Amino acid sequence: MDYQRFAVQFSLASLIGLTAATASVLAVAKPAPHMQAKISMSAARALAQKAFPGTIVKAELERERGGSGLRYSFDMRKGNSWHEVGVDAMTGQVLENSREGANPKD
């Protein structure tokens, strides 16, 4: 009985260790989004402000459908008007320039 318990515990510990090692390798294998972007954040900011001349309140690099799948997203404000401007991080193409409501989402 003790041998069976030991075998089960050893198997579980090995499986957990193998899972952790695999996750580490996968995390290293996929570069961070900012390392994949061909367009810099500052260049994307300039393109966004050209598309909608306002103040950038929030900026982020995210994976999202459309274009290359990697985009800079800017929440922008001009007076009481809010816009979300999306710039493709690989090509610099403006993918979105849409009006937001009075309380833009986070």
Side-chain angles (χ1 to χ4, degrees), residues 12 21-22 25-26 28 30 32 38-39 54 61 88 90 97:
L12 286 173
T22 302
V25 169
L26 290 176
V28 171
K30 189 173 184 180
K38 291 184 179 177
I39 305 297
L61 178 60
D88 192 295
M90 302 303 274
N97 186 0

Side-chain angles (χ1 to χ4, degrees), residues 5-63:
R5 182 178 295 161
F6 172 77
V8 169
Q9 289 175 344
F10 180 79
S11 297
L12 286 173
S14 297
L15 182 61
I16 291 170
L18 182 60
T19 302
T22 302
S24 297
V25 169
L26 290 176
V28 171
K30 189 173 184 180
H34 71 279
M35 298 297 285
Q36 295 175 331
K38 291 184 179 177
I39 305 297
S40 69
M41 174 68 86
S42 60
R45 289 174 72 91
L47 291 166
Q49 287 181 315
K50 187 175 181 182
F52 179 74
T55 302
I56 295 174
V57 177
K58 182 180 175 187
E60 63 184 331
L61 178 60
E62 60 189 357
R63 295 189 188 282

